[in-house]
């Protein structure tokens, strides 16, 4: 009998210790959507710091843009972010997903930039300067 009571007390203790630090908000943003939001925010913040005039020209605030795009408000985002951040391991996995997407995006962007650079280089044959047109005749320099 004592063993059963001890076992039940131990199980009860372990179950009661698993208490959520942060309560689940009413309008919780789904995890996949939250990852998309944080990905978009990181892209927009990078643009803001790399080329601030691009967003200023069009008067775009990254956070306001995200709120409109995903039809959420700042409070809903903040509460959802705190909720997901309360579980460190899960939050870390979310950031790993974002990092993978950013790395994949960076690779494709780098390849497009390199391709564009290759197309821009003029090719001169036999080290001759381009021909110039003088009147009706063409002369090589």
């Amino acid at each position: 009998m004592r063993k059963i009571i001890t076992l039940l007390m131990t199980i009860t203790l372990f179950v009661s210790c698993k208490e959520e630090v942060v309560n689940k908000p009413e309008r919780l943003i789904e995890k996949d959507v939250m990852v998309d939001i944080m990905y978009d925010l990181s892209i927009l913040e990078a643009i803001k710091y790399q080329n601030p005039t691009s967003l200023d020209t069009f008067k775009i605030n990254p956070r306001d843009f995200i709120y409109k795009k995903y039809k959420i408000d700042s409070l809903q985002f903040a509460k959802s972010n705190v909720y997901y951040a309360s579980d460190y391991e899960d939050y870390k996995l979310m950031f790993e997903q974002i990092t993978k997407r950013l790395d994949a995006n960076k690779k494709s962007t780098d390849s497009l930039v390199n391709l564009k650079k290759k197309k821009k280089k003029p090719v001169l044959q036999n080290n001759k300067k381009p021909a110039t047109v003088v009147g009706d005749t063409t002369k090589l320099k």
Side-chain angles (χ1 to χ4, degrees), residues 26-39:
E26 283 182 24
R27 297 174 18 212
L28 179 68
I29 299 170
E30 293 179 30
K31 187 183 290 187
D32 294 338
V33 176
M34 192 69 176
V35 169
D36 291 341
I37 291 170
M38 292 190 309
Y39 172 79

Side-chain angles (χ1 to χ4, degrees), residues 1 29 35 65 85 92 99 116 132:
M1 185 69 166
I29 299 170
V35 169
F65 176 78
K92 182 180 173 185
T99 303
K116 193 171 184 177
T132 57

Side-chain angles (χ1 to χ4, degrees), residues 30-54:
E30 293 179 30
K31 187 183 290 187
D32 294 338
V33 176
M34 192 69 176
V35 169
D36 291 341
I37 291 170
M38 292 190 309
Y39 172 79
D40 287 348
L41 274 174
S42 62
I43 295 283
L44 287 170
E45 290 295 324
I47 290 170
K48 180 179 173 182
Y49 290 108
Q50 290 296 318
N51 190 3
T53 57
S54 62

Side-chain angles (χ1 to χ4, degrees), residues 82-100:
V82 168
Y83 176 76
Y84 288 122
S86 67
D87 182 4
Y88 173 76
E89 291 299 322
D90 203 28
Y91 204 56
K92 182 180 173 185
L93 291 174
M94 290 170 68
F95 272 99
E96 287 173 1
Q97 286 179 332
I98 294 165
T99 303
K100 285 179 186 175

Side-chain angles (χ1 to χ4, degrees), residues 5-122:
I5 292 175
T6 306
L7 180 66
L8 288 175
M9 298 263 305
T10 306
I11 291 173
T12 306
L13 180 66
F14 281 119
V15 171
S16 65
C17 289
K18 177 82 171 118
E19 184 178 328
E20 287 187 12
V21 177
V22 178
N23 293 330
K24 186 175 180 179
E26 283 182 24
R27 297 174 18 212
L28 179 68
I29 299 170
E30 293 179 30
K31 187 183 290 187
D32 294 338
V33 176
M34 192 69 176
V35 169
D36 291 341
I37 291 170
M38 292 190 309
Y39 172 79
D40 287 348
L41 274 174
S42 62
I43 295 283
L44 287 170
E45 290 295 324
I47 290 170
K48 180 179 173 182
Y49 290 108
Q50 290 296 318
N51 190 3
T53 57
S54 62
L55 294 177
D56 291 341
T57 302
F58 299 106
K59 295 182 172 57
I60 296 174
N61 180 340
R63 293 208 179 257
D64 291 340
F65 176 78
I66 294 298
Y67 298 151
K68 286 179 185 177
K69 179 180 177 181
Y70 290 97
K71 297 179 177 98
I72 59 173
D73 58 38
S74 59
L75 183 62
Q76 182 181 8
F77 174 74
K79 285 184 176 182
S80 296
N81 195 35
V82 168
Y83 176 76
Y84 288 122
S86 67
D87 182 4
Y88 173 76
E89 291 299 322
D90 203 28
Y91 204 56
K92 182 180 173 185
L93 291 174
M94 290 170 68
F95 272 99
E96 287 173 1
Q97 286 179 332
I98 294 165
T99 303
K100 285 179 186 175
R101 284 176 65 183
L102 288 171
D103 289 341
N105 193 0
K106 183 178 185 289
K107 287 178 185 176
S108 65
T109 303
D110 288 345
S111 64
L112 288 174
V113 168
N114 290 336
L115 182 66
K116 193 171 184 177
K117 284 181 182 178
K118 286 180 183 178
K119 285 184 179 181
K120 282 188 175 182
K121 289 183 180 178

